[in-house]
């Protein structure tokens, strides 16, 4: 298992070393859409999760876990391209 070390792909030293150019408007738009999706999943599934899983935020936590896995995968791919 590899441990992520600094500099991570979004730091300035990584960008200078690897000539990585990020489109920050795209990044902010993607983060906004991911946040809206997380809130939508949470608000749409609270009643169902409370009745069936006795945890009102069950689906939100699961969705957040998948988002974190995707974020880690994207950081890994940016480091090894």
């Amino acid at each position: 298992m590899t441990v992520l070390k600094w500099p991570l792909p979004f730091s300035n030293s990584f960008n200078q070393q690897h000539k990585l150019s990020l489109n920050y408007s795209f990044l902010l738009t993607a983060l906004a859409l991911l946040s809206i999706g997380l809130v939508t999943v949470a608000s749409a599934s609270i009643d169902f999760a409370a009745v069936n899983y006795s945890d009102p935020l069950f689906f939100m936590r699961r969705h957040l876990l998948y988002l974190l896995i995707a974020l880690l995968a994207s950081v890994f791919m940016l480091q090894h391209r």
Side-chain angles (χ1 to χ4, degrees):
M1 182 170 139
T2 61
V3 177
L4 295 177
K5 296 179 183 175
W6 294 103
L8 287 177
F10 302 114
S11 65
N12 286 334
S13 61
F14 185 87
N15 290 345
Q16 291 170 356
Q17 181 183 5
H18 296 287
K19 305 288 189 257
L20 181 66
S21 62
L22 292 177
N23 186 345
Y24 289 102
S25 61
F26 177 74
L27 183 63
L28 289 175
T29 303
L31 289 175
L33 288 172
L34 291 171
S35 300
I36 291 169
L38 184 64
V39 170
T40 303
V41 166
S43 65
S45 63
I46 284 179
D47 291 334
F48 183 80
V51 170
N52 293 322
Y53 297 101
S54 66
D55 180 12
L57 300 176
F58 174 78
F59 290 108
M60 187 205 71
R61 288 189 182 115
R62 189 172 74 171
H63 189 71
L64 185 61
L65 175 68
Y66 293 150
L67 288 177
L68 292 175
I69 291 170
L71 177 66
L72 289 175
S74 65
V75 168
F76 176 79
M77 293 306 292
L78 279 173
Q79 285 185 344
H80 294 92
R81 63 181 187 135

